[in-house]
Amino acid sequence: AQKITQTQPGMFVQEKEAVTLDCTYDTSDPSYGLFWYKQPSSGEMIFLIYQGSYDQQNATEGRYSLNFQKARKSANLVISASQLGDSAMYFCAMREAPGAAGNKLTFGGGTRVLVKP
Amino acid sequence: NAGVTQTPKFQVLKTGQSMTLQCAQDMNHEYMSWYRQDPGMGLRLIHYSVGAGITDQGEVPNGYNVSRSTTEDFPLRLLSAAPSQTSVYFCASSYSRADTQYFGPGTRLTVL
């Protein structure tokens, strides 16, 4: 069974509008972390935002926010005021039980975002 | 800080050849790992290390060897390359096993 599911393979968004990227996860571990990474066409993986399973508030980093709904096991990324430079592939990833397997990240299949001017 | 560096950026091998992908970090990070990314997919963990002298297997370790003789370096060795190992390889590091991982720029490997 997939542990991280990103159901949107691709989406368009108009410049300056907000976009929500979906991510659902599956784990029985009470302690886990959720990450979002951006991969532009140049290929590097850029860390965007992190949410811990025990964090009470949704994480925010500049124009990025994470809509964390623990009961639904979802961790959607919201990008506000989209810019042309936001066009990229976005990956959701989960880390379970840091002590068991190091710092292993399990990745979803990604969502490609194209920002239209 | 240079962060996480990887060499080479591109490599073409013939089936059966061996090579080492280099990874180095200058942030004194304990944890280092190697992932591979196949077309249209997310990353999968190959091997990881929680400190110098300590390595372990990840999700897809077959065909790859690693060692960690220093904190800074974590090379990935392909002993006998196969076309199935054509992929983009990323090295990542974090201060500890519970911290955010930061990725290198990747190595694009093609095995003919």
Side-chain angles (χ1 to χ4, degrees), chain A residues 96-105, chain B residues 31 45 48 50 56-57 97:
Chain A
E96 297 173 284
N103 201 353
K104 176 191 174 184
L105 291 175
Chain B
Y31 182 89
L45 182 66
Y48 67 93
V50 298
D56 207 344
Q57 296 181 351
R97 65 181 73 194

Side-chain angles (χ1 to χ4, degrees), chain B residues 45-81:
Chain B
L45 182 66
I46 305 172
H47 284 286
Y48 67 93
S49 168
V50 298
I54 306 169
T55 64
D56 207 344
Q57 296 181 351
E59 184 182 355
V60 288
N62 292 342
Y64 308 94
N65 281 349
V66 292
S67 60
R68 183 104 178 263
S69 56
T70 66
T71 300
E72 295 78 19
D73 301 299
F74 190 45
L76 178 72
R77 280 183 285 277
L78 286 72
L79 296 179
S80 179

Side-chain angles (χ1 to χ4, degrees), chain B residues 20-55:
Chain B
T20 299
L21 307 186
Q22 301 292 345
C23 173
Q25 52 87 14
D26 61 358
M27 300 174 283
N28 200 31
H29 283 178
E30 280 189 359
Y31 182 89
M32 296 184 74
S33 56
W34 278 100
Y35 291 82
R36 62 176 287 173
Q37 183 180 28
D38 298 317
M41 296 178 64
L43 281 67
R44 291 183 294 167
L45 182 66
I46 305 172
H47 284 286
Y48 67 93
S49 168
V50 298
I54 306 169
T55 64

Side-chain angles (χ1 to χ4, degrees), chain A residues 34-75:
Chain A
L34 297 157
F35 301 79
W36 279 90
Y37 286 86
K38 172 184 178 182
Q39 187 176 43
S41 57
S42 52
E44 70 266 34
M45 294 289 289
I46 302 168
F47 165 70
L48 295 178
I49 195 166
Y50 165 78
Q51 179 85 41
S53 60
Y54 294 119
D55 293 343
Q56 295 296 315
Q57 294 188 339
N58 288 342
T60 61
E61 288 286 350
R63 294 187 298 112
Y64 304 107
S65 60
L66 201 152
N67 184 3
F68 181 46
Q69 299 189 43
K70 197 170 182 176
R72 292 187 175 186
K73 293 188 175 179
S74 75

